[in-house]
Amino acid sequence: MKRALVHALFGAVALGFTVLAAIEALDGHRAETLNQAVARVAAGPIDGHDERTGDNGLPELRFARARALAAAGRHDAAVKQYSALIQASSPPGLRQAALYNLANLYLRQSAAAEAGPSLVVMALAKQRYRDLLRMDPLDWDARYNLERALRMAPEDEATFPAVSAEPAERRQVRMRGMAAGDLP
């Protein structure tokens, strides 16, 4: 009786580990298939849709396509792909990577402008870096690139309110409908 219970317990544990191993193998197979599809997208033709990719709207494949478009110099198409990834229900890590790549693309476009940095495109790059830093304040790559963009095209300080050197306790607060002695 005791021996049968031990064998049954061992069989249940072995079955559980077998199921876990099968799930891990299936996940590994899915990851390998996705990696092969991403490699095909990156190496495939840029003009038009490549039927070999099997692009079923997977965000990873759209991201790979956007990178390939940016590398081929088709910036407008890459911007559309990255923007779609940012707006779509992509995984958060992929959304952040698309936002970072989009900001870098804007920064490169602005820096490559023949008549000096394009201020409009540079402003777009700065805004994307700021959006990325709102998502992840510890993203040092985005911080560095934002600082680089700010050095290339400084912002007008008149747009930001001046910080008063007077301590907060001594500042006069004025409210409509209230006289100076109304508040204690």
Side-chain angles (χ1 to χ4, degrees):
M1 175 83 172
K2 187 174 181 183
R3 185 177 248 177
L5 181 63
V6 169
H7 286 295
L9 183 63
F10 178 75
V13 170
L15 181 64
F17 281 123
T18 303
V19 168
L20 288 176
I23 290 172
E24 288 296 320
L26 185 61
D27 285 344
H29 178 67
R30 285 184 190 147
E32 183 63 32
T33 304
L34 181 62
N35 287 342
Q36 290 172 357
V38 166
R40 281 194 303 269
V41 167
I46 298 302
D47 301 334
H49 181 70
D50 184 11
E51 296 301 326
R52 296 176 300 143
T53 62
D55 185 358
N56 295 326
L58 292 174
E60 292 86 357
L61 295 179
R62 288 187 288 160
F63 183 80
R65 178 136 178 87
R67 285 193 62 189
L69 288 167
R74 305 236 350 249
H75 300 296
D76 292 337
V79 166
K80 287 180 186 177
Q81 291 283 330
Y82 283 134
S83 297
L85 281 169
I86 293 167
Q87 300 300 325
S89 59
S90 304
L94 195 62
R95 185 177 304 138
Q96 288 177 342
L99 190 59
Y100 181 75
N101 283 1
L102 181 60
N104 285 343
L105 184 63
Y106 284 144
L107 184 64
R108 280 193 299 270
Q109 278 182 331
S110 176
E114 295 170 5
S118 170
L119 296 180
V120 173
V121 178
M122 185 66 74
L124 287 171
K126 290 181 214 177
Q127 185 58 44
R128 295 299 182 213
Y129 286 128
R130 287 184 177 118
D131 292 343
L132 187 59
L133 287 172
R134 277 189 207 101
M135 284 186 207
D136 182 15
L138 298 177
D139 189 347
W140 292 102
D141 293 331
R143 281 177 185 256
Y144 173 80
N145 287 350
L146 176 60
E147 183 178 339
R148 194 170 146 212
L150 288 169
R151 286 181 189 227
M152 289 173 67
E155 293 177 343
D156 185 20
E157 291 191 23
T159 59
F160 299 106
V163 177
S164 175
E166 186 177 2
E169 296 85 21
R170 293 188 183 168
R171 291 186 197 151
Q172 293 290 328
V173 178
R174 293 186 181 94
M175 296 175 60
R176 275 190 276 160
M178 302 286 266
D182 288 347
L183 296 175

Short mmCIF file of all heavy atoms in Angstrom, two decimals, residues 3-71:
data_model
loop_
_atom_site.label_atom_id
_atom_site.label_comp_id
_atom_site.label_asym_id
_atom_site.label_seq_id
_atom_site.Cartn_x
_atom_site.Cartn_y
_atom_site.Cartn_z
N ARG A 3 3.99 1.44 -0.84
CA ARG A 3 4.79 1.44 -2.05
C ARG A 3 3.96 1.93 -3.25
O ARG A 3 4.45 2.69 -4.08
CB ARG A 3 5.31 0.03 -2.31
CG ARG A 3 6.23 -0.05 -3.47
CD ARG A 3 6.76 -1.43 -3.63
NE ARG A 3 8.18 -1.40 -3.33
CZ ARG A 3 8.94 -2.42 -3.31
NH1 ARG A 3 8.44 -3.61 -3.50
NH2 ARG A 3 10.21 -2.31 -3.07
N ALA A 4 2.72 1.57 -3.34
CA ALA A 4 1.85 2.00 -4.44
C ALA A 4 1.61 3.51 -4.36
O ALA A 4 1.56 4.20 -5.38
CB ALA A 4 0.54 1.25 -4.39
N LEU A 5 1.47 4.04 -3.15
CA LEU A 5 1.27 5.46 -2.97
C LEU A 5 2.50 6.25 -3.40
O LEU A 5 2.39 7.28 -4.08
CB LEU A 5 0.93 5.76 -1.50
CG LEU A 5 0.67 7.22 -1.15
CD1 LEU A 5 -0.57 7.73 -1.90
CD2 LEU A 5 0.51 7.39 0.34
N VAL A 6 3.67 5.76 -3.06
CA VAL A 6 4.93 6.43 -3.46
C VAL A 6 5.07 6.39 -4.98
O VAL A 6 5.44 7.39 -5.60
CB VAL A 6 6.14 5.76 -2.76
CG1 VAL A 6 7.44 6.25 -3.36
CG2 VAL A 6 6.10 6.02 -1.27
N HIS A 7 4.75 5.25 -5.60
CA HIS A 7 4.83 5.15 -7.07
C HIS A 7 3.82 6.07 -7.74
O HIS A 7 4.12 6.70 -8.76
CB HIS A 7 4.61 3.70 -7.52
CG HIS A 7 5.78 2.82 -7.25
ND1 HIS A 7 7.00 2.98 -7.85
CD2 HIS A 7 5.91 1.75 -6.40
CE1 HIS A 7 7.84 2.06 -7.42
NE2 HIS A 7 7.20 1.29 -6.52
N ALA A 8 2.63 6.18 -7.19
CA ALA A 8 1.61 7.06 -7.77
C ALA A 8 2.04 8.53 -7.63
O ALA A 8 1.88 9.33 -8.56
CB ALA A 8 0.27 6.85 -7.08
N LEU A 9 2.60 8.88 -6.48
CA LEU A 9 3.08 10.24 -6.27
C LEU A 9 4.23 10.55 -7.22
O LEU A 9 4.28 11.63 -7.83
CB LEU A 9 3.53 10.41 -4.81
CG LEU A 9 4.00 11.81 -4.42
CD1 LEU A 9 2.87 12.81 -4.57
CD2 LEU A 9 4.53 11.80 -3.00
N PHE A 10 5.16 9.61 -7.38
CA PHE A 10 6.27 9.80 -8.31
C PHE A 10 5.76 9.95 -9.75
O PHE A 10 6.24 10.78 -10.50
CB PHE A 10 7.25 8.62 -8.22
CG PHE A 10 8.38 8.72 -9.19
CD1 PHE A 10 9.42 9.61 -8.96
CD2 PHE A 10 8.41 7.94 -10.34
CE1 PHE A 10 10.46 9.71 -9.87
CE2 PHE A 10 9.44 8.04 -11.24
CZ PHE A 10 10.48 8.92 -11.01
N GLY A 11 4.80 9.17 -10.13
CA GLY A 11 4.21 9.26 -11.47
C GLY A 11 3.53 10.60 -11.70
O GLY A 11 3.66 11.20 -12.78
N ALA A 12 2.83 11.12 -10.70
CA ALA A 12 2.16 12.42 -10.83
C ALA A 12 3.19 13.54 -10.97
O ALA A 12 3.03 14.45 -11.81
CB ALA A 12 1.26 12.68 -9.63
N VAL A 13 4.26 13.49 -10.18
CA VAL A 13 5.31 14.51 -10.27
C VAL A 13 6.00 14.42 -11.64
O VAL A 13 6.26 15.44 -12.29
CB VAL A 13 6.32 14.36 -9.11
CG1 VAL A 13 7.54 15.23 -9.34
CG2 VAL A 13 5.65 14.70 -7.80
N ALA A 14 6.30 13.20 -12.10
CA ALA A 14 6.94 13.03 -13.40
C ALA A 14 6.03 13.53 -14.52
O ALA A 14 6.50 14.18 -15.48
CB ALA A 14 7.30 11.56 -13.62
N LEU A 15 4.73 13.28 -14.43
CA LEU A 15 3.78 13.77 -15.43
C LEU A 15 3.74 15.30 -15.43
O LEU A 15 3.70 15.93 -16.49
CB LEU A 15 2.40 13.19 -15.16
CG LEU A 15 1.30 13.61 -16.14
CD1 LEU A 15 1.63 13.09 -17.54
CD2 LEU A 15 -0.05 13.12 -15.68
N GLY A 16 3.76 15.90 -14.25
CA GLY A 16 3.76 17.37 -14.15
C GLY A 16 5.00 17.97 -14.80
O GLY A 16 4.91 18.95 -15.55
N PHE A 17 6.17 17.38 -14.54
CA PHE A 17 7.39 17.88 -15.17
C PHE A 17 7.40 17.65 -16.68
O PHE A 17 7.92 18.46 -17.43
CB PHE A 17 8.63 17.24 -14.53
CG PHE A 17 9.00 17.86 -13.20
CD1 PHE A 17 9.09 17.09 -12.07
CD2 PHE A 17 9.23 19.22 -13.09
CE1 PHE A 17 9.42 17.65 -10.85
CE2 PHE A 17 9.56 19.79 -11.88
CZ PHE A 17 9.66 19.00 -10.75
N THR A 18 6.80 16.58 -17.12
CA THR A 18 6.71 16.32 -18.55
C THR A 18 5.83 17.36 -19.23
O THR A 18 6.16 17.86 -20.32
CB THR A 18 6.15 14.90 -18.80
OG1 THR A 18 6.98 13.94 -18.14
CG2 THR A 18 6.09 14.58 -20.27
N VAL A 19 4.73 17.72 -18.61
CA VAL A 19 3.85 18.75 -19.16
C VAL A 19 4.58 20.09 -19.21
O VAL A 19 4.51 20.81 -20.21
CB VAL A 19 2.54 18.85 -18.33
CG1 VAL A 19 1.75 20.09 -18.70
CG2 VAL A 19 1.70 17.60 -18.53
N LEU A 20 5.31 20.44 -18.14
CA LEU A 20 6.07 21.68 -18.13
C LEU A 20 7.14 21.70 -19.22
O LEU A 20 7.35 22.72 -19.89
CB LEU A 20 6.71 21.92 -16.76
CG LEU A 20 5.76 22.31 -15.63
CD1 LEU A 20 6.52 22.40 -14.32
CD2 LEU A 20 5.09 23.63 -15.95
N ALA A 21 7.82 20.58 -19.41
CA ALA A 21 8.84 20.49 -20.45
C ALA A 21 8.21 20.63 -21.84
O ALA A 21 8.79 21.28 -22.73
CB ALA A 21 9.60 19.16 -20.35
N ALA A 22 7.04 20.07 -22.04
CA ALA A 22 6.36 20.20 -23.33
C ALA A 22 5.94 21.65 -23.59
O ALA A 22 6.07 22.15 -24.72
CB ALA A 22 5.14 19.28 -23.37
N ILE A 23 5.48 22.34 -22.56
CA ILE A 23 5.11 23.75 -22.72
C ILE A 23 6.33 24.59 -23.05
O ILE A 23 6.29 25.45 -23.94
CB ILE A 23 4.41 24.26 -21.43
CG1 ILE A 23 3.03 23.61 -21.29
CG2 ILE A 23 4.29 25.78 -21.43
CD1 ILE A 23 2.35 23.89 -19.97
N GLU A 24 7.44 24.35 -22.39
CA GLU A 24 8.68 25.08 -22.68
C GLU A 24 9.16 24.79 -24.09
O GLU A 24 9.64 25.69 -24.79
CB GLU A 24 9.76 24.72 -21.66
CG GLU A 24 9.54 25.30 -20.29
CD GLU A 24 9.58 26.81 -20.28
OE1 GLU A 24 10.43 27.40 -20.98
OE2 GLU A 24 8.75 27.40 -19.58
N ALA A 25 9.06 23.57 -24.52
CA ALA A 25 9.47 23.22 -25.89
C ALA A 25 8.59 23.92 -26.92
O ALA A 25 9.08 24.41 -27.94
CB ALA A 25 9.42 21.70 -26.09
N LEU A 26 7.30 23.99 -26.65
CA LEU A 26 6.39 24.70 -27.55
C LEU A 26 6.71 26.19 -27.60
O LEU A 26 6.72 26.79 -28.68
CB LEU A 26 4.95 24.47 -27.10
CG LEU A 26 3.86 25.04 -28.00
CD1 LEU A 26 3.94 24.43 -29.39
CD2 LEU A 26 2.50 24.79 -27.40
N ASP A 27 6.99 26.80 -26.45
CA ASP A 27 7.38 28.22 -26.43
C ASP A 27 8.68 28.44 -27.19
O ASP A 27 8.83 29.44 -27.90
CB ASP A 27 7.52 28.71 -24.99
CG ASP A 27 6.19 28.92 -24.31
OD1 ASP A 27 5.16 28.99 -25.02
OD2 ASP A 27 6.17 29.03 -23.06
N GLY A 28 9.63 27.53 -27.02
CA GLY A 28 10.89 27.63 -27.77
C GLY A 28 10.67 27.53 -29.26
O GLY A 28 11.30 28.25 -30.04
N HIS A 29 9.78 26.64 -29.67
CA HIS A 29 9.48 26.49 -31.10
C HIS A 29 8.81 27.76 -31.64
O HIS A 29 9.14 28.22 -32.74
CB HIS A 29 8.58 25.27 -31.33
CG HIS A 29 8.18 25.08 -32.75
ND1 HIS A 29 9.09 24.74 -33.73
CD2 HIS A 29 6.98 25.22 -33.36
CE1 HIS A 29 8.45 24.67 -34.88
NE2 HIS A 29 7.17 24.96 -34.69
N ARG A 30 7.89 28.34 -30.88
CA ARG A 30 7.24 29.59 -31.31
C ARG A 30 8.26 30.71 -31.44
O ARG A 30 8.23 31.49 -32.39
CB ARG A 30 6.16 30.00 -30.31
CG ARG A 30 4.92 29.18 -30.41
CD ARG A 30 3.86 29.71 -29.47
NE ARG A 30 2.75 28.79 -29.38
CZ ARG A 30 2.03 28.60 -28.30
NH1 ARG A 30 2.29 29.27 -27.20
NH2 ARG A 30 1.04 27.73 -28.30
N ALA A 31 9.17 30.81 -30.47
CA ALA A 31 10.20 31.86 -30.52
C ALA A 31 11.12 31.67 -31.72
O ALA A 31 11.47 32.64 -32.39
CB ALA A 31 11.01 31.86 -29.23
N GLU A 32 11.48 30.42 -32.01
CA GLU A 32 12.35 30.14 -33.17
C GLU A 32 11.63 30.49 -34.46
O GLU A 32 12.23 31.08 -35.37
CB GLU A 32 12.76 28.67 -33.17
CG GLU A 32 13.70 28.31 -34.28
CD GLU A 32 15.03 29.03 -34.19
OE1 GLU A 32 15.48 29.32 -33.08
OE2 GLU A 32 15.62 29.29 -35.27
N THR A 33 10.36 30.17 -34.57
CA THR A 33 9.58 30.50 -35.76
C THR A 33 9.48 32.02 -35.93
O THR A 33 9.63 32.53 -37.04
CB THR A 33 8.17 29.89 -35.66
OG1 THR A 33 8.29 28.48 -35.47
CG2 THR A 33 7.35 30.16 -36.89
N LEU A 34 9.25 32.73 -34.83
CA LEU A 34 9.18 34.19 -34.88
C LEU A 34 10.53 34.79 -35.28
O LEU A 34 10.59 35.71 -36.10
CB LEU A 34 8.73 34.75 -33.53
CG LEU A 34 8.58 36.26 -33.46
CD1 LEU A 34 7.50 36.74 -34.44
CD2 LEU A 34 8.24 36.69 -32.06
N ASN A 35 11.61 34.26 -34.75
CA ASN A 35 12.94 34.75 -35.12
C ASN A 35 13.22 34.55 -36.60
O ASN A 35 13.81 35.42 -37.25
CB ASN A 35 14.02 34.06 -34.28
CG ASN A 35 14.03 34.55 -32.85
OD1 ASN A 35 13.49 35.61 -32.55
ND2 ASN A 35 14.64 33.78 -31.97
N GLN A 36 12.82 33.41 -37.14
CA GLN A 36 13.01 33.17 -38.57
C GLN A 36 12.17 34.14 -39.40
O GLN A 36 12.64 34.66 -40.43
CB GLN A 36 12.67 31.73 -38.92
CG GLN A 36 13.66 30.72 -38.37
CD GLN A 36 13.19 29.30 -38.55
OE1 GLN A 36 12.09 29.04 -39.04
NE2 GLN A 36 14.03 28.35 -38.16
N ALA A 37 10.96 34.41 -38.97
CA ALA A 37 10.10 35.35 -39.70
C ALA A 37 10.67 36.77 -39.64
O ALA A 37 10.65 37.49 -40.64
CB ALA A 37 8.68 35.33 -39.12
N VAL A 38 11.21 37.17 -38.49
CA VAL A 38 11.83 38.49 -38.37
C VAL A 38 13.05 38.59 -39.28
O VAL A 38 13.27 39.61 -39.94
CB VAL A 38 12.19 38.78 -36.89
CG1 VAL A 38 13.12 39.97 -36.77
CG2 VAL A 38 10.94 39.01 -36.07
N ALA A 39 13.85 37.52 -39.34
CA ALA A 39 15.02 37.52 -40.22
C ALA A 39 14.60 37.62 -41.69
O ALA A 39 15.25 38.31 -42.48
CB ALA A 39 15.85 36.25 -40.00
N ARG A 40 13.50 36.97 -42.07
CA ARG A 40 13.01 37.07 -43.45
C ARG A 40 12.53 38.48 -43.76
O ARG A 40 12.75 39.00 -44.85
CB ARG A 40 11.89 36.07 -43.69
CG ARG A 40 12.37 34.65 -43.93
CD ARG A 40 11.26 33.78 -44.49
NE ARG A 40 10.08 33.74 -43.65
CZ ARG A 40 9.85 32.84 -42.69
NH1 ARG A 40 10.74 31.91 -42.44
NH2 ARG A 40 8.74 32.87 -41.99
N VAL A 41 11.87 39.12 -42.79
CA VAL A 41 11.39 40.49 -43.00
C VAL A 41 12.58 41.43 -43.16
O VAL A 41 12.58 42.29 -44.04
CB VAL A 41 10.49 40.95 -41.83
CG1 VAL A 41 10.25 42.44 -41.88
CG2 VAL A 41 9.18 40.21 -41.87
N ALA A 42 13.59 41.26 -42.33
CA ALA A 42 14.76 42.14 -42.39
C ALA A 42 15.54 41.95 -43.68
O ALA A 42 16.11 42.91 -44.21
CB ALA A 42 15.66 41.89 -41.19
N ALA A 43 15.57 40.74 -44.21
CA ALA A 43 16.33 40.47 -45.43
C ALA A 43 15.49 40.54 -46.69
O ALA A 43 16.03 40.52 -47.79
CB ALA A 43 16.96 39.08 -45.34
N GLY A 44 14.17 40.64 -46.55
CA GLY A 44 13.28 40.62 -47.70
C GLY A 44 13.27 41.93 -48.46
O GLY A 44 13.89 42.92 -48.07
N PRO A 45 12.54 41.97 -49.55
CA PRO A 45 12.45 43.19 -50.34
C PRO A 45 11.68 44.27 -49.58
O PRO A 45 10.76 43.98 -48.83
CB PRO A 45 11.69 42.76 -51.60
CG PRO A 45 10.97 41.53 -51.21
CD PRO A 45 11.78 40.88 -50.13
N ILE A 46 12.11 45.50 -49.78
CA ILE A 46 11.51 46.63 -49.08
C ILE A 46 10.30 47.17 -49.84
O ILE A 46 9.33 47.62 -49.26
CB ILE A 46 12.56 47.74 -48.85
CG1 ILE A 46 13.70 47.21 -47.99
CG2 ILE A 46 11.95 48.96 -48.22
CD1 ILE A 46 13.29 46.69 -46.65
N ASP A 47 10.35 47.13 -51.17
CA ASP A 47 9.25 47.66 -51.97
C ASP A 47 8.08 46.69 -51.94
O ASP A 47 8.16 45.61 -52.42
CB ASP A 47 9.68 47.85 -53.43
CG ASP A 47 10.84 48.81 -53.53
OD1 ASP A 47 10.99 49.65 -52.63
OD2 ASP A 47 11.60 48.71 -54.50
N GLY A 48 6.99 47.06 -51.34
CA GLY A 48 5.82 46.20 -51.33
C GLY A 48 5.89 45.13 -50.26
O GLY A 48 6.86 44.98 -49.54
N HIS A 49 4.86 44.36 -50.18
CA HIS A 49 4.71 43.32 -49.15
C HIS A 49 5.35 42.03 -49.64
O HIS A 49 5.10 41.58 -50.75
CB HIS A 49 3.23 43.11 -48.85
CG HIS A 49 2.97 42.10 -47.79
ND1 HIS A 49 3.27 42.32 -46.47
CD2 HIS A 49 2.45 40.85 -47.86
CE1 HIS A 49 2.93 41.25 -45.77
NE2 HIS A 49 2.44 40.36 -46.59
N ASP A 50 6.14 41.43 -48.81
CA ASP A 50 6.79 40.16 -49.13
C ASP A 50 5.91 39.03 -48.59
O ASP A 50 5.66 38.95 -47.41
CB ASP A 50 8.18 40.10 -48.50
CG ASP A 50 8.94 38.85 -48.87
OD1 ASP A 50 8.48 38.13 -49.78
OD2 ASP A 50 9.98 38.59 -48.26
N GLU A 51 5.45 38.17 -49.48
CA GLU A 51 4.54 37.09 -49.08
C GLU A 51 5.25 36.03 -48.24
O GLU A 51 4.61 35.27 -47.53
CB GLU A 51 3.92 36.43 -50.32
CG GLU A 51 3.04 37.37 -51.11
CD GLU A 51 1.88 37.93 -50.30
OE1 GLU A 51 1.35 37.20 -49.44
OE2 GLU A 51 1.50 39.08 -50.52
N ARG A 52 6.57 35.96 -48.31
CA ARG A 52 7.29 34.93 -47.56
C ARG A 52 7.29 35.21 -46.06
O ARG A 52 7.58 34.34 -45.26
CB ARG A 52 8.74 34.85 -48.03
CG ARG A 52 8.89 34.41 -49.45
CD ARG A 52 10.34 34.45 -49.88
NE ARG A 52 10.85 35.81 -49.74
CZ ARG A 52 12.09 36.12 -49.34
NH1 ARG A 52 12.92 35.18 -49.02
NH2 ARG A 52 12.48 37.37 -49.25
N THR A 53 7.03 36.44 -45.66
CA THR A 53 7.14 36.78 -44.25
C THR A 53 6.00 36.22 -43.42
O THR A 53 6.16 35.97 -42.24
CB THR A 53 7.18 38.30 -44.05
OG1 THR A 53 5.96 38.84 -44.54
CG2 THR A 53 8.35 38.91 -44.76
N GLY A 54 4.84 36.06 -44.02
CA GLY A 54 3.70 35.60 -43.24
C GLY A 54 3.29 36.62 -42.21
O GLY A 54 2.97 36.29 -41.09
N ASP A 55 3.35 37.90 -42.57
CA ASP A 55 3.03 38.99 -41.65
C ASP A 55 1.56 38.93 -41.29
O ASP A 55 0.70 39.34 -42.03
CB ASP A 55 3.38 40.32 -42.31
CG ASP A 55 3.18 41.49 -41.36
OD1 ASP A 55 2.74 41.25 -40.23
OD2 ASP A 55 3.47 42.61 -41.77
N ASN A 56 1.27 38.38 -40.12
CA ASN A 56 -0.10 38.25 -39.65
C ASN A 56 -0.45 39.40 -38.71
O ASN A 56 -1.27 39.24 -37.82
CB ASN A 56 -0.29 36.92 -38.92
CG ASN A 56 -0.11 35.76 -39.85
OD1 ASN A 56 -0.47 35.84 -41.01
ND2 ASN A 56 0.47 34.69 -39.36
N GLY A 57 0.21 40.54 -38.89
CA GLY A 57 -0.04 41.66 -38.00
C GLY A 57 0.69 41.54 -36.69
O GLY A 57 0.37 42.25 -35.74
N LEU A 58 1.66 40.65 -36.59
CA LEU A 58 2.41 40.51 -35.35
C LEU A 58 3.25 41.76 -35.14
O LEU A 58 3.93 42.23 -36.06
CB LEU A 58 3.33 39.28 -35.42
CG LEU A 58 2.63 37.92 -35.43
CD1 LEU A 58 3.63 36.81 -35.64
CD2 LEU A 58 1.89 37.72 -34.12
N PRO A 59 3.23 42.34 -33.95
CA PRO A 59 3.98 43.57 -33.71
C PRO A 59 5.49 43.40 -33.93
O PRO A 59 6.14 44.32 -34.40
CB PRO A 59 3.69 43.90 -32.24
CG PRO A 59 2.51 43.09 -31.87
CD PRO A 59 2.43 41.94 -32.80
N GLU A 60 6.01 42.24 -33.62
CA GLU A 60 7.45 42.02 -33.80
C GLU A 60 7.83 42.09 -35.27
O GLU A 60 8.88 42.62 -35.63
CB GLU A 60 7.86 40.66 -33.22
CG GLU A 60 7.75 40.57 -31.71
CD GLU A 60 6.37 40.19 -31.22
OE1 GLU A 60 5.44 40.03 -32.05
OE2 GLU A 60 6.20 40.05 -30.00
N LEU A 61 6.97 41.55 -36.15
CA LEU A 61 7.26 41.60 -37.58
C LEU A 61 7.11 43.02 -38.12
O LEU A 61 7.89 43.45 -38.98
CB LEU A 61 6.34 40.64 -38.34
CG LEU A 61 6.53 39.16 -38.03
CD1 LEU A 61 5.55 38.32 -38.82
CD2 LEU A 61 7.94 38.73 -38.31
N ARG A 62 6.12 43.76 -37.62
CA ARG A 62 5.97 45.16 -38.04
C ARG A 62 7.16 45.99 -37.58
O ARG A 62 7.62 46.89 -38.28
CB ARG A 62 4.66 45.73 -37.52
CG ARG A 62 3.47 45.15 -38.28
CD ARG A 62 2.19 45.83 -37.89
NE ARG A 62 1.85 45.40 -36.54
CZ ARG A 62 1.04 46.04 -35.73
NH1 ARG A 62 0.48 47.16 -36.11
NH2 ARG A 62 0.77 45.59 -34.54
N PHE A 63 7.68 45.70 -36.39
CA PHE A 63 8.85 46.40 -35.89
C PHE A 63 10.07 46.12 -36.77
O PHE A 63 10.82 47.03 -37.12
CB PHE A 63 9.12 46.00 -34.44
CG PHE A 63 10.26 46.73 -33.80
CD1 PHE A 63 10.09 48.00 -33.32
CD2 PHE A 63 11.50 46.14 -33.69
CE1 PHE A 63 11.14 48.69 -32.73
CE2 PHE A 63 12.56 46.81 -33.10
CZ PHE A 63 12.37 48.09 -32.61
N ALA A 64 10.25 44.84 -37.13
CA ALA A 64 11.38 44.48 -38.00
C ALA A 64 11.24 45.16 -39.36
O ALA A 64 12.23 45.61 -39.94
CB ALA A 64 11.45 42.96 -38.16
N ARG A 65 10.02 45.23 -39.87
CA ARG A 65 9.79 45.89 -41.16
C ARG A 65 10.11 47.38 -41.06
O ARG A 65 10.70 47.96 -41.96
CB ARG A 65 8.35 45.69 -41.60
CG ARG A 65 8.02 46.38 -42.89
CD ARG A 65 7.22 45.47 -43.79
NE ARG A 65 6.85 46.12 -45.01
CZ ARG A 65 7.61 46.13 -46.10
NH1 ARG A 65 8.76 45.51 -46.10
NH2 ARG A 65 7.22 46.74 -47.19
N ALA A 66 9.72 48.02 -39.96
CA ALA A 66 10.01 49.44 -39.78
C ALA A 66 11.52 49.69 -39.71
O ALA A 66 12.02 50.65 -40.30
CB ALA A 66 9.33 49.95 -38.51
N ARG A 67 12.23 48.81 -39.04
CA ARG A 67 13.70 48.96 -38.99
C ARG A 67 14.32 48.78 -40.36
O ARG A 67 15.23 49.51 -40.73
CB ARG A 67 14.29 47.92 -38.03
CG ARG A 67 14.05 48.29 -36.58
CD ARG A 67 14.86 47.48 -35.65
NE ARG A 67 16.27 47.73 -35.92
CZ ARG A 67 17.25 47.04 -35.38
NH1 ARG A 67 16.98 46.06 -34.57
NH2 ARG A 67 18.50 47.32 -35.65
N ALA A 68 13.81 47.82 -41.12
CA ALA A 68 14.33 47.61 -42.47
C ALA A 68 14.03 48.81 -43.36
O ALA A 68 14.88 49.22 -44.17
CB ALA A 68 13.74 46.33 -43.07
N LEU A 69 12.85 49.39 -43.22
CA LEU A 69 12.50 50.57 -44.01
C LEU A 69 13.39 51.76 -43.64
O LEU A 69 13.85 52.49 -44.53
CB LEU A 69 11.03 50.94 -43.79
CG LEU A 69 10.00 50.02 -44.44
CD1 LEU A 69 8.61 50.31 -43.89
CD2 LEU A 69 10.03 50.17 -45.95
N ALA A 70 13.65 51.94 -42.37
CA ALA A 70 14.51 53.04 -41.93
C ALA A 70 15.93 52.84 -42.44
O ALA A 70 16.58 53.79 -42.88
CB ALA A 70 14.50 53.16 -40.42
N ALA A 71 16.41 51.61 -42.41
CA ALA A 71 17.77 51.32 -42.90
C ALA A 71 17.88 51.53 -44.40
O ALA A 71 18.94 51.90 -44.91
CB ALA A 71 18.17 49.90 -42.53
#
